[in-house]
Amino acid sequence: MPATYAHKKQQLYLVLSGIFLVNALLAEIIGVKIFSVEKTFGLSGNLTAGVLVWPVVFITTDVINEYFGRKGVLRITFLTVGLILYAFLVILGTTKLVPADFWLDLNKTDAQGRPFNIEFAYQSIFRQGLGIIIGSLVAFIIGQVLDASVFQLFRRITGSKYIWLRATGSTLISQLVDSFVVLYVAFYLFGNWSMAQVLEVARFNYWYKFAAAILLTPLLYLAHYGIDRYLGPAETTELQEEAFVDESV
């Protein structure tokens, strides 16, 4: 085994994990906002803001799964869940701090001179309800476990061929569950949404993820090309075989 193999493997997993973690955390934080697709892009429907960066998580998940196997995906998934919980606890802690009087005075009006309560705005944006946190994390874990498992199932069937099939197929199946679970738990069980609203937003979220998974397929192949060149033919083969064997035991 070449001397650079361990170093390259470690660096690759570190970079992919960093991309995965940052985008997953961003998606959780900004996911509290529901925006109008019609007023923003001219298309009918509503989306959670978090879905805008989820395609990056999809791609990164599939690349990690391809080169490090199911255990590699689950390792960074559970680490990310722990760090997201930590981030929410820190944010929750800051909402309990008493605001400084001069800070409130300096920000008592907006740019147009209208009355503005910056503490209320801060609380509204950062203090997400317990239901949203639980719903998003439950959906995230279920989606990632399902994605990793389906990906490896397709890999056993197709071998090293048809990257697009196992990547796109695993994403479409896992996100069908994820898109519904997060909204159902967060906004139906713990919130005030009707089931019709949950189904409407979940349906549009899923079709967005469906389209993103298809359109980003070339990026997946580009990532594979770059990683294969980085690792080299011998290292790539050994790494993929190691991941495959690891998933078969």
Side-chain angles (χ1 to χ4, degrees):
M1 184 178 294
T4 58
Y5 169 77
H7 177 72
K8 287 182 177 181
K9 177 180 178 180
Q10 182 183 50
Q11 292 301 310
L12 175 61
Y13 191 73
L14 179 63
V15 171
L16 292 174
S17 296
I19 296 172
F20 177 96
L21 196 158
V22 169
N23 283 278
L25 179 59
L26 278 174
E28 296 292 340
I29 292 176
I30 67 177
V32 67
K33 180 173 182 177
I34 308 295
F35 73 95
S36 170
V37 179
E38 181 176 4
K39 294 180 180 179
T40 306
F41 300 111
L43 301 173
S44 62
N46 299 299
L47 286 172
T48 59
V51 302
L52 297 178
V53 295
W54 271 120
V56 181
V57 178
F58 301 159
I59 292 293
T60 311
T61 297
D62 292 334
V63 173
I64 293 175
N65 211 336
E66 182 72 12
Y67 289 90
F68 295 92
R70 182 172 179 270
K71 287 185 177 180
V73 173
L74 297 184
R75 185 180 299 115
I76 185 57
T77 294
F78 291 121
L79 174 61
T80 300
V81 168
L83 292 175
I84 288 174
L85 283 173
Y86 168 75
F88 279 134
L89 287 175
V90 172
I91 292 172
L92 178 62
T94 65
T95 65
K96 302 293 185 180
L97 300 175
V98 179
D101 292 336
F102 83 91
W103 182 65
L104 295 175
D105 290 337
L106 288 175
N107 297 282
K108 62 184 178 182
T109 59
D110 61 16
Q112 284 73 43
R114 295 172 298 190
F116 179 70
N117 187 331
I118 193 170
E119 174 65 9
F120 176 78
Y122 185 92
Q123 294 276 349
S124 299
I125 294 173
F126 289 112
R127 194 172 182 178
Q128 300 187 54
L130 178 62
I132 296 177
I133 298 174
I134 294 176
S136 60
L137 290 181
V138 168
F140 178 65
I141 293 173
I142 293 175
Q144 286 299 112
V145 171
L146 188 58
D147 188 292
S149 301
V150 173
F151 185 98
Q152 286 301 323
L153 175 62
F154 280 126
R155 194 173 194 276
R156 292 190 183 97
I157 296 173
T158 63
S160 59
K161 299 179 180 179
Y162 308 115
I163 297 173
W164 65 270
L165 177 61
R166 54 183 176 271
T168 304
S170 61
T171 297
L172 296 185
I173 293 174
S174 65
Q175 292 312 305
L176 181 62
V177 177
D178 178 278
S179 298
F180 174 77
V181 170
V182 62
L183 296 175
Y184 177 76
V185 175
F187 299 108
Y188 183 78
L189 291 183
F190 289 95
N192 56 3
W193 285 25
S194 67
M195 182 57 70
Q197 290 173 316
V198 169
L199 293 175
E200 177 188 355
V201 177
R203 176 177 56 83
F204 203 81
N205 278 2
Y206 178 71
W207 284 118
Y208 166 80
K209 295 173 182 178
F210 185 103
I214 300 297
L215 294 175
L216 291 177
T217 299
L219 184 59
L220 180 64
Y221 277 89
L222 182 62
H224 275 263
Y225 175 77
I227 291 172
D228 288 347
R229 286 181 61 86
Y230 170 70
L231 294 176
E235 293 90 340
T236 300
T237 301
E238 291 171 356
L239 186 54
Q240 290 176 332
E241 288 178 350
E242 177 183 314
F244 182 73
V245 171
D246 182 52
E247 291 303 318
S248 301
V249 295

